[in-house]
Amino acid sequence: MAATAATAVLAALRGFFGRFRWRPQAPALAGGVRGAARSAAAGRPDYDLLVIGGGSGGLACAKEAAQLGKKVAVVDYVEPSPRGTRWGLGGTCVNVGCIPKKLMHHAALLGAMIHDAPHYGWGVPQQVPHDWSKMAEAVQNYVKSLNWGHRVQLQERKVSYFNMKASFVDEHVVRGVTKGGKETLLSAKHIVIATGGRPRYPTEIEGALEHGITSDDIFWLKESPGKTLVVGGSYVALECAGFLTGLGLDTTVMIRSIPLRGFDQQMSALVTDYMASHGTRFLRGCTVMSVKRLPDSQLQVTWKELASGGEGTDTFNTVLWAVGRVAETRNLDLEKAGVDINPKSKKILVDAREATSVPHIYAIGDTAEGRPELTPTAIMAGRLLAQRLCGQSKDLMDYDNVPTTVFTPLEYGCVGLSEEEAVARHGADHVEVYHAYYKPLEFTVAERDASQCYIKMVCLRKPPKPVLGLHFLGPNAGEVTQGFALGIKCGASYAQVMRTVGIHPTCAEEVTKLRITKRSGMDPTVTGC
Amino acid sequence: MSSLPGRRTRHSPPGPSHLSSEAREELRRRLQGLIEDNRVMIFSKSYCPHSKRVKELFSSLGVEYNTLELDQVDDGANVQEVLSEITNQRTVPNIFVNKVHMGGCDRTFKAHQSGLLQKLLQKESTYDYDLIVIGGGSGGLACAQEAAILGKKVMVLDFVVPTPQGTSWGLGGTCVNVGCIPKKLMHQAALLGQALRDSRKFGWEYNQQVKHNWEIMTEAIQNHIGSLNWSYGLSLKEKSVTYANSYGEFVEHHKIKATNRKGQETYYTAAKFVIATGARPRYLEIQGDKEYCITSDDLFSLPYCPGKTLVVGASYVALECAGFLAGVGLDVTVMVRSILLRGFDQEMAEKVGSYMEQHGVKFLRKFVPVMVQKLEKGSPGKLKVVAKSTQEPETIEGVYNTVLLAIGRESSTRKIGLEKIGVKISEKSGKIPVNDIEQTNVPYVYAVGDVLDGKLELTPVAIQAGKLLARRLFGGSSEKCNYINVPTTVFTPLEYGCCGLSEEKAIEIYKKENLEVYHTLFWPLEWTIAGRENNTCYAKIICNKVDNNRVIGFHILGPNAGEVTQGFAAAMKCGITKQLLDDTIGIHPTCGIHHFGDNEGIGPGHHPERLLRLGLLLSSLPVCSHSFQT
């Protein structure tokens, strides 16, 4: 209640201050460089902690440090996308990632529920159209309320916020440049880099940059993207293609090699099978050669089929690139501070304490080399880093057994090792895989196909058969996976999971009833109750 | 030993007989089990030369035997004492062949010489079956099939006595026919109604008022149940379990009478029996209840829409039914005598109720019906209900189309001839007391599922208990069914999942000062755009400070609570502590950072993750302070 009301009030307030741009609180009023330089020269930095990047990791770190009594500043600036899309405070997750993605995924799921409803006795019309603009406006308004919420929180915790583009002057001083070109120098004892990443454009392809969009734009479109080509096999590509299909759009996914690289490949195949059987078109083993705008403003895409060498072409309203992300480190002038990056990935090299090659400069989140690109990981890493910096704790972030969920039409949740990885680490003879195809109860009456609802648990074969990985494909996979991730964190063995009594009737209970091993060759289809 | 010297109230006789009568009974049962289960059973002492000679004799005959070495077990002296009560023989070895008491070493050798021993050994089992299971529900079927897999000859007797309204159903028991399965599907129908309302906010366009059709829903659900009944029958056939659609009744030891629909009687014998007859809804025993009221046994196959409904009771069955009836658009009132969801955490129970109330379910608290009268015939008809206050001499009246009684369940144990073979039941509840291996006071008779005294009435528990029982009886296993930390979910409109202790129970066992309760309200991401209420979904965990902050209770009220709770139950099985909970990373999306106004954040978010953040968010809160909202 409080928050809904608050949201409304805040939305009204936004009218006064303009959409996302906030006046910096710092005295960056006069022209030229001001601020930190003087005090830094005098040996006393402006801040205990300066965080570059106001995304999930950066904000968590800044707020935690401020709460522990430190003087903290956050510098955040969103470079508009090539299509001109920009957004407010909160980073990828809030603005162009998980939040709008999950909401649009939910809109698509609701479409499926409308389809189910007549089976359950609801007199819903046969064809229910979807209004993109209405959904997008609701999603965007919600995201804007979150932007505001983040600002308020920083203020409450007395964290200084600068809407400026940051770059290093030296290892203790950062230059901030506002949109209007005004500069401020900020110095700090500790600096955390949390600038995240942005979608990669395949600029080598003719027309890619001019005519394509990315996930930075899709959630902010005011009009429906129409017939869409999604290029890439990443989870971003499949999630976007999934909800676009679910909202009734003609959607094609073009993948050069494999979908969901890094994830368990059997699960990945099932994810795409389900999508294909629910209307998403897949072009496998293809790569785009050119994108041209036709006089009727449609986009003509020409591609090459890698195996045959042949060519294909089709027209689309929208081409969405989802071919990976690049760490946002280019414009930071890291060399001036002496911070080392991996020249290939452009990511910042860090140690277990998140420290870079410069001991008082740290990097967390998507911009740090070798870390999972996940919001909750960044948040926890940021918070733990702040606690260590403030002498509150010595705990290091544990990057093992991080659960995650891909919100494709049939959701895929996993934690721990993929089957391939388990076999690579321990050898096929030492790994036991328990698996099952199951049918969610709700699918029966709705006459939905459950061919891809599948679970597998990867264990060490030697007693007590510790669980190495859990993979769940089905409705509410995120909710299902979360608790089991806790169990795996506690060192769950196969027997412990089997001794857990099920909750009937749920999908999650199937995890506690996995009896068939892959090795046995028996049919893993669940029958009966 | 059982009593401490300081507490001893009466002088015990010397020697080992400090056994309480209960423990003595228990031991006697165990010994009789051994005697019954083994073709040759030798009670011996490992150093005794006579015992050794007897074992050598059986070995030379190529006969397998089981032994219990009294000098090597903790309660050997007690065993010896109880054995002497059974056999009038205090010495070892003490030998049984095919359940017949042979005596000691000399008498066994004599029997061998006279040929009596060989005769006894040759005696084949004379029973028709190794196992007869009475009741074809979740527990019974699981046990029967597992026993059959282990190579035993098994029979299942299942017979559904029609309800006073004449409703009957097929194989599979309560869960499949009149419980979890149809309940969850009707709950899903109600959730879809909510989804339809939400969908407009997410851009789906349709204008007309969407109506619900009870008959279409019920037919679809009954079709699914029909397919399950069929597949259960098939599964029994595949495993060569004999199935009879007959009513089973004990007539004498090891013998049962099976009466089919036509009244034909057949008699079967078995070495072992499992009672899994479950329970049926109770009636009020007031004027008009059996004639005009229905129960959950009737609701799920009701051929017409129940219309304006009074649900009597506040059990989970009552609240679930009231929830989905309201969810498909009916006018629903719940009449509650005292508290909601007895046995569940009461803070959670009240929240479940208040959500229902906010969503149109009316509650009449502290009233009980005293009379139900028929005003009009029809499908549905019209009923007048008179109810009286439990506190004042006040009486109220109401008119409903349907009155659904959900005031508890009665074990189906009083009419199956248990008294003929001396199986004890609790006089009051009708439930069957068993030991920790599901054995009744009659050693060859076992029980699983809802008929058990003091155990949980849950399908998965019955299945687990049934399977493990079969493995112990016939598979050489010793694994017992563990009834601790069993998770469950109440499928009310806002689902409530829990595992472990309620706050009340935790305080009772561990004392308030040893507990820390972490809790949070949360706002599911999907609810934000749908414009659904904030500060409604709620989660709490109860930790035992004295035991490393181990999680001893988990409670969550929110969408998909069942799916969420399951994994946490697995984690509790692994001994999850608060520290480990804090160390586990949440799943996206949710940045649990979207808090508004208040300091420690009740924001929207994907709720499991939010829960993980409980500790960090709320660690500064005092125990059980529930006022953390600004």
Side-chain angles (χ1 to χ4, degrees):
Chain A
M1 190 56 223
T4 14
T7 313
V9 173
L10 302 178
L13 282 173
R14 249 195 323 274
F16 285 109
F17 297 126
R19 278 179 51 195
F20 323 114
R21 265 154 267 134
W22 304 99
R23 285 157 203 267
Q25 301 169 322
L29 302 168
V33 175
R34 283 201 53 180
R38 270 180 319 224
S39 49
R44 192 169 53 82
D46 300 338
Y47 296 98
D48 298 320
L49 174 66
L50 175 70
V51 176
I52 307 174
S56 309
L59 291 176
C61 184
K63 285 189 291 188
E64 186 78 8
Q67 189 131 329
L68 295 169
K70 298 290 170 184
K71 194 178 174 199
V72 184
V74 170
V75 187
D76 183 57
Y77 187 86
V78 178
E79 192 75 53
S81 79
R83 292 282 77 73
T85 311
R86 54 195 314 165
W87 51 86
L89 183 61
T92 302
C93 165
V94 170
N95 294 283
V96 289
C98 349
I99 298 295
K101 170 268 296 285
K102 180 91 191 281
L103 287 170
M104 291 196 180
H105 168 64
H106 189 67
L109 290 185
L110 286 170
M113 289 186 221
I114 291 171
H115 200 71
D116 287 354
H119 292 282
Y120 283 88
W122 294 99
V124 190
Q126 286 294 306
Q127 286 290 325
V128 177
H130 185 259
D131 180 347
W132 173 279
S133 308
K134 191 173 175 193
M135 170 192 72
E137 196 190 339
V139 171
Q140 289 158 19
N141 282 339
Y142 177 65
V143 169
K144 288 173 197 170
S145 76
L146 296 182
N147 298 146
W148 168 267
H150 283 304
R151 284 284 291 119
V152 171
Q153 282 199 333
L154 288 184
Q155 224 154 29
E156 279 174 357
R157 295 179 199 212
K158 310 215 164 19
V159 175
S160 304
Y161 166 67
F162 301 93
N163 185 203
M164 296 178 182
K165 207 184 293 189
S167 59
F168 281 92
V169 175
D170 62 39
E171 58 176 32
H172 279 289
V173 180
V174 167
R175 172 187 292 112
V177 182
T178 67
K179 196 166 164 258
K182 283 173 188 155
E183 288 193 6
T184 305
L185 291 184
L186 303 162
S187 66
K189 194 171 161 206
H190 298 285
I191 299 173
V192 172
I193 305 168
T195 46
R198 296 291 290 269
R200 189 173 81 78
Y201 264 94
T203 44
E204 66 281 7
I205 298 170
E206 180 195 343
L209 188 60
E210 297 92 305
H211 306 307
I213 67 166
T214 67
S215 58
D216 277 0
D217 308 295
I218 184 88
F219 306 110
W220 294 90
L221 295 180
K222 298 219 178 309
E223 301 299 330
S224 165
K227 182 181 173 185
T228 302
L229 174 68
V230 178
V231 185
S234 62
Y235 78 88
V236 178
L238 298 187
E239 288 179 340
C240 289
F243 72 70
L244 292 174
T245 307
L247 297 175
L249 301 180
D250 182 338
T251 309
T252 304
V253 179
M254 187 180 293
I255 302 177
R256 196 190 46 192
S257 55
I258 58 165
L260 296 179
R261 188 181 298 280
F263 287 90
D264 187 286
Q265 283 302 300
Q266 184 194 7
M267 304 305 288
S268 301
L270 290 168
V271 166
T272 51
D273 284 355
Y274 183 89
M275 289 176 70
S277 69
H278 286 72
T280 309
R281 188 157 67 113
F282 280 88
L283 291 168
R284 305 289 292 263
C286 295
T287 173
V288 175
M289 293 168 70
S290 70
V291 182
K292 292 193 179 101
R293 191 170 290 284
L294 299 175
D296 64 356
S297 94
Q298 291 212 70
L299 299 173
Q300 184 177 49
V301 178
T302 309
W303 64 85
K304 191 161 78 181
E305 289 167 16
L306 294 171
S308 67
E311 280 188 15
T313 186
D314 197 356
T315 55
F316 299 90
N317 300 110
T318 300
V319 174
L320 174 79
W321 303 109
V323 291
R325 298 174 66 82
V326 187
E328 219 18 18
T329 54
R330 255 177 323 151
N331 303 318
L332 288 172
D333 292 340
L334 290 173
E335 63 289 349
K336 289 190 182 160
V339 172
D340 292 341
I341 60 168
N342 175 340
K344 221 175 137 204
S345 69
K346 309 293 180 208
K347 289 195 173 191
I348 299 170
L349 301 172
V350 287
D351 64 14
R353 298 172 302 123
E354 329 296 352
T356 68
S357 50
V358 182
H360 69 273
I361 301 178
Y362 306 82
I364 54 171
D366 295 5
T367 187
E369 175 81 2
R371 302 300 193 219
E373 298 184 5
L374 294 168
T375 288
T377 328
I379 291 175
M380 195 178 281
R383 195 178 283 130
L384 289 173
L385 172 58
Q387 286 171 5
R388 291 196 302 272
L389 291 179
C390 300
Q392 284 285 309
S393 150
K394 285 183 177 157
D395 291 353
L396 294 176
M397 176 72 187
D398 177 4
Y399 287 98
D400 281 342
N401 290 328
V402 174
T404 189
T405 294
V406 181
F407 290 100
T408 36
L410 198 62
E411 298 174 6
Y412 165 37
C414 60
V415 55
L417 302 184
S418 66
E419 188 176 343
E420 295 91 343
E421 184 63 28
V423 167
R425 283 195 202 177
H426 301 283
D429 283 350
H430 298 107
V431 173
E432 194 79 278
V433 177
Y434 294 88
H435 65 157
Y437 283 96
Y438 68 101
K439 186 163 197 168
L441 177 63
E442 293 75 13
F443 277 34
T444 57
V445 166
E447 293 174 15
R448 278 209 214 181
D449 177 28
S451 310
Q452 286 87 23
C453 291
Y454 178 72
I455 306 168
K456 74 175 169 185
M457 194 154 78
V458 182
C459 304
L460 270 185
R461 204 171 168 191
K462 196 174 164 216
K465 298 189 186 173
V467 181
L468 301 173
L470 176 68
H471 304 267
F472 179 95
L473 192 57
N476 303 305
E479 268 84 350
V480 172
T481 311
Q482 185 71 77
F484 288 104
L486 270 174
I488 290 173
K489 196 89 180 174
C490 302
S493 67
Y494 170 73
Q496 280 173 316
V497 177
M498 290 311 108
R499 258 185 250 129
T500 305
V501 177
I503 299 179
H504 194 57
T506 60
C507 294
E509 72 174 319
E510 302 297 342
V511 177
T512 68
K513 302 195 290 192
L514 295 169
R515 307 281 173 195
I516 308 272
T517 62
K518 270 198 177 175
R519 200 180 306 277
S520 73
M522 284 160 72
D523 178 9
T525 307
V526 174
T527 51
C529 221
Chain B
M1 290 286 17
S2 60
S3 52
L4 298 167
R7 285 179 155 194
R8 195 172 294 168
T9 51
R10 63 186 160 83
H11 186 71
S12 297
S17 49
H18 295 196
L19 278 179
S20 69
S21 63
E22 228 168 77
R24 180 182 299 270
E25 192 53 36
E26 175 68 40
L27 184 57
R28 176 191 291 266
R29 240 194 277 181
R30 218 180 84 208
L31 297 182
Q32 267 166 355
L34 283 173
I35 294 163
E36 298 241 356
D37 288 354
N38 293 284
R39 195 164 163 226
V40 176
M41 183 69 214
I42 306 172
F43 297 94
S44 65
K45 287 184 179 169
S46 58
Y47 53 78
C48 161
H50 303 290
S51 300
K52 200 170 162 221
R53 276 183 61 213
V54 170
K55 289 175 202 166
E56 282 165 358
L57 171 66
F58 283 108
S59 293
S60 71
L61 294 171
V63 173
E64 271 186 47
Y65 57 85
N66 194 3
T67 57
L68 185 71
E69 305 291 355
L70 303 191
D71 59 322
Q72 290 176 352
V73 293
D74 292 341
D75 55 351
N78 291 328
V79 171
Q80 198 157 2
E81 191 184 319
V82 174
L83 267 180
S84 82
E85 285 172 19
I86 298 174
T87 61
N88 260 330
Q89 177 190 330
R90 265 204 76 84
T91 55
V92 292
N94 197 337
I95 298 135
F96 291 82
V97 176
N98 264 329
K99 302 171 203 64
V100 175
H101 183 228
M102 285 305 310
C105 179
D106 290 350
R107 290 182 62 182
T108 306
F109 272 88
K110 255 188 208 151
H112 179 229
Q113 279 159 11
S114 71
L116 176 65
L117 180 63
Q118 288 82 338
K119 234 184 221 169
L120 270 175
L121 281 170
Q122 273 163 13
K123 211 172 92 181
E124 282 287 311
S125 166
T126 50
Y127 299 125
D128 302 334
Y129 291 95
D130 295 313
L131 173 69
I132 290 181
V133 176
I134 312 171
S138 310
L141 291 178
C143 185
Q145 297 193 17
E146 193 70 17
I149 289 168
L150 292 167
K152 294 296 156 182
K153 196 176 170 200
V154 184
M155 173 180 233
V156 170
L157 296 174
D158 185 57
F159 188 89
V160 178
V161 178
T163 70
Q165 300 293 323
T167 313
S168 180
W169 51 84
L171 183 61
T174 301
C175 166
V176 171
N177 295 284
V178 290
C180 338
I181 297 295
K183 168 273 290 289
K184 182 90 191 283
L185 289 169
M186 291 199 175
H187 170 63
Q188 174 70 5
L191 290 183
L192 286 173
Q194 178 68 54
L196 291 173
R197 285 191 294 280
D198 288 356
S199 68
R200 289 188 172 95
K201 299 263 174 59
F202 279 86
W204 295 98
E205 291 188 311
Y206 49 93
N207 296 319
Q208 82 221 53
Q209 182 74 30
V210 177
K211 285 230 162 65
H212 186 259
N213 182 312
W214 175 271
E215 289 82 359
I216 290 177
M217 170 183 75
T218 309
E219 194 189 330
I221 291 172
Q222 288 303 320
N223 283 342
H224 176 60
I225 291 173
S227 75
L228 290 178
N229 297 146
W230 187 80
S231 76
Y232 281 127
L234 188 70
S235 174
L236 288 181
K237 206 174 269 176
E238 279 171 1
K239 297 192 173 83
S240 304
V241 174
T242 309
Y243 163 63
N245 183 201
S246 300
Y247 190 89
E249 224 175 322
F250 285 100
V251 286
E252 60 187 74
H253 273 295
H254 292 283
K255 189 169 186 183
I256 201 157
K257 176 173 81 180
T259 311
N260 72 10
R261 242 162 246 288
K262 293 173 195 155
Q264 287 169 339
E265 293 175 356
T266 319
Y267 292 84
Y268 301 100
T269 58
K272 291 192 166 50
F273 286 83
V274 170
I275 304 168
T277 46
R280 300 289 290 270
R282 268 220 319 268
Y283 280 81
L284 280 163
E285 312 301 336
I286 59 167
Q287 188 192 327
D289 68 343
K290 289 211 170 90
E291 295 93 311
Y292 308 127
C293 298
I294 64 167
T295 68
S296 57
D297 277 357
D298 306 295
L299 180 66
F300 301 110
S301 58
L302 204 63
Y304 53 86
C305 178
K308 185 182 175 188
T309 303
L310 175 71
V311 178
V312 181
S315 61
Y316 78 89
V317 178
L319 298 190
E320 288 178 340
C321 291
F324 68 69
L325 291 175
V328 299
L330 303 183
D331 180 340
V332 180
T333 305
V334 181
M335 187 176 286
V336 183
R337 191 188 54 179
S338 57
I339 59 167
L340 305 181
L341 297 178
R342 186 178 301 280
F344 287 90
D345 186 284
Q346 281 302 298
E347 184 193 17
M348 303 304 289
E350 279 305 316
K351 283 178 183 288
V352 165
S354 73
Y355 182 87
M356 289 176 69
E357 210 157 2
Q358 277 158 29
H359 287 75
V361 177
K362 285 164 275 189
F363 281 85
L364 281 172
R365 294 277 196 129
K366 306 223 182 290
F367 275 97
V368 288
V370 287
M371 184 176 67
V372 181
Q373 272 179 340
K374 179 153 249 175
L375 298 179
E376 267 176 41
K377 275 193 164 177
S379 307
K382 253 188 200 166
L383 301 171
K384 184 171 95 172
V385 180
V386 181
K388 72 169 198 302
S389 165
T390 58
Q391 295 173 313
E392 291 152 48
E394 187 195 352
T395 312
I396 53 168
E397 284 183 18
V399 177
Y400 302 91
N401 297 117
T402 298
V403 176
L404 174 76
L405 302 180
I407 52 168
R409 299 172 66 82
E410 187 84 28
S411 301
S412 305
T413 53
R414 297 198 197 265
K415 292 175 183 164
I416 53 172
L418 291 180
E419 67 288 352
K420 297 257 173 63
I421 55 166
V423 173
K424 278 187 201 143
I425 62 172
S426 152
E427 265 322 305
K428 209 171 143 227
S429 66
K431 292 200 169 202
I432 303 175
V434 291
N435 59 15
D436 64 349
I437 51 166
E438 281 88 25
Q439 190 178 33
T440 70
N441 65 309
V442 177
Y444 68 90
V445 180
Y446 298 80
V448 295
D450 294 2
V451 294
L452 295 188
D453 196 17
K455 299 285 174 16
L456 299 153
E457 298 184 10
L458 292 169
T459 291
V461 175
I463 291 174
Q464 185 134 337
K467 263 190 195 155
L468 293 177
L469 173 59
R471 283 181 206 159
R472 285 195 308 271
L473 291 179
F474 307 115
S477 157
S478 60
E479 191 183 344
K480 294 172 187 171
C481 185
N482 185 341
Y483 294 90
I484 308 285
N485 282 345
V486 172
T488 188
T489 296
V490 182
F491 291 98
T492 34
L494 197 57
E495 298 175 8
Y496 164 37
C498 60
C499 183
L501 301 178
S502 67
E503 202 171 321
E504 295 88 353
K505 196 80 192 166
I507 289 171
E508 187 187 316
I509 297 175
Y510 296 103
K511 301 280 174 293
K512 193 161 182 164
E513 59 270 24
N514 295 323
L515 301 175
E516 194 83 70
V517 179
Y518 299 91
H519 65 166
T520 185
L521 290 163
F522 61 94
W523 198 19
L525 179 62
E526 294 75 13
W527 284 30
T528 56
I529 286 192
R532 288 163 73 180
E533 56 273 64
N534 192 1
N535 291 345
T536 299
C537 298
Y538 179 74
K540 73 174 169 187
I541 55 168
I542 301 160
C543 300
N544 181 1
K545 284 195 282 189
V546 186
D547 181 19
N548 199 20
N549 250 329
R550 197 168 305 288
V551 179
I552 55 171
F554 170 88
H555 304 268
I556 186 164
L557 183 67
N560 301 308
E563 308 292 356
V564 174
T565 306
Q566 183 70 76
F568 283 90
M572 283 175 73
K573 210 68 175 175
C574 305
I576 182 83
T577 60
K578 182 63 179 31
Q579 180 61 42
L580 277 159
L581 201 82
D582 291 345
D583 290 349
T584 303
I585 293 174
I587 290 177
H588 239 48
T590 276
C591 319
I593 37 182
H594 315 144
H595 321 138
F596 295 89
D598 61 319
N599 205 26
E600 292 301 343
I602 310 308
H606 176 275
H607 46 280
E609 185 195 7
R610 174 149 291 281
L611 185 76
L612 291 178
R613 302 192 59 252
L614 276 181
L616 292 161
L617 288 170
L618 303 167
S619 49
S620 58
L621 289 171
V623 185
C624 295
S625 149
H626 289 177
S627 53
F628 52 100
Q629 185 60 7
T630 53

